[in-house]
Amino acid sequence: MSGNAVLENVRRYRTIASLYRQTAAFRPAQRSTLLAQAYEYERLAMTELEAHFTVHNTSWNMATAA
Protein backbone atom coordinates (compact mmCIF):
# COMPACT_ATOMS: atom_id res chain seq x y z
CA MET A 1 0.00 0.00 0.00
CA SER A 2 1.34 3.44 -0.82
CA GLY A 3 2.42 5.85 1.87
CA ASN A 4 -0.40 8.25 1.01
CA ALA A 5 -3.03 5.53 1.39
CA VAL A 6 -1.60 4.54 4.77
CA LEU A 7 -1.63 8.13 5.98
CA GLU A 8 -5.20 8.56 4.75
CA ASN A 9 -6.29 5.45 6.66
CA VAL A 10 -4.52 6.67 9.79
CA ARG A 11 -6.17 10.07 9.46
CA ARG A 12 -9.59 8.43 9.14
CA TYR A 13 -9.03 6.12 12.10
CA ARG A 14 -7.89 8.99 14.31
CA THR A 15 -10.80 11.18 13.21
CA ILE A 16 -13.25 8.43 14.12
CA ALA A 17 -11.51 7.93 17.48
CA SER A 18 -11.76 11.65 18.15
CA LEU A 19 -15.47 11.63 17.39
CA TYR A 20 -16.00 8.74 19.80
CA ARG A 21 -14.13 10.64 22.54
CA GLN A 22 -16.14 13.80 21.89
CA THR A 23 -19.39 11.83 22.01
CA ALA A 24 -18.29 10.19 25.29
CA ALA A 25 -17.95 13.64 26.84
CA PHE A 26 -21.64 14.32 26.21
CA ARG A 27 -23.05 10.85 26.88
CA PRO A 28 -21.91 9.74 30.33
CA ALA A 29 -24.12 6.64 30.29
CA GLN A 30 -22.27 5.24 27.26
CA ARG A 31 -18.88 6.69 28.15
CA SER A 32 -17.02 3.41 28.72
CA THR A 33 -18.31 1.84 25.50
CA LEU A 34 -17.52 4.93 23.45
CA LEU A 35 -14.02 5.24 24.91
CA ALA A 36 -13.40 1.57 24.16
CA GLN A 37 -14.35 2.23 20.54
CA ALA A 38 -12.01 5.24 20.46
CA TYR A 39 -9.21 3.09 21.84
CA GLU A 40 -9.85 0.45 19.17
CA TYR A 41 -9.61 3.02 16.35
CA GLU A 42 -6.40 4.45 17.81
CA ARG A 43 -5.05 0.89 17.93
CA LEU A 44 -5.96 0.41 14.26
CA ALA A 45 -4.12 3.63 13.38
CA MET A 46 -0.99 2.51 15.21
CA THR A 47 -1.14 -0.97 13.68
CA GLU A 48 -1.42 0.54 10.20
CA LEU A 49 1.60 2.79 10.79
CA GLU A 50 3.69 0.05 12.36
CA ALA A 51 2.95 -2.35 9.50
CA HIS A 52 3.83 0.29 6.91
CA PHE A 53 7.13 1.24 8.51
CA THR A 54 8.09 -2.36 9.29
CA VAL A 55 7.65 -3.32 5.63
CA HIS A 56 9.51 -0.25 4.38
CA ASN A 57 12.28 -0.55 6.95
CA THR A 58 12.78 -4.22 6.04
CA SER A 59 12.89 -3.34 2.34
CA TRP A 60 15.37 -0.55 3.00
CA ASN A 61 17.59 -2.82 5.11
CA MET A 62 17.61 -5.46 2.36
CA ALA A 63 18.52 -2.86 -0.24
CA THR A 64 21.41 -1.46 1.80
CA ALA A 65 22.73 -4.92 2.69
CA ALA A 66 23.00 -5.94 -0.96
Side-chain angles (χ1 to χ4, degrees), residues 28-66:
Q30 292 100 14
R31 181 182 174 105
S32 61
T33 303
L34 292 166
L35 291 177
Q37 287 293 326
Y39 176 82
E40 182 61 23
Y41 276 98
E42 286 291 344
R43 191 191 63 75
L44 286 171
M46 290 303 297
T47 301
E48 186 97 10
L49 282 172
E50 288 171 353
H52 175 73
F53 284 108
T54 299
V55 167
H56 281 80
N57 192 30
T58 302
S59 299
W60 185 81
N61 287 339
M62 285 183 199
T64 58

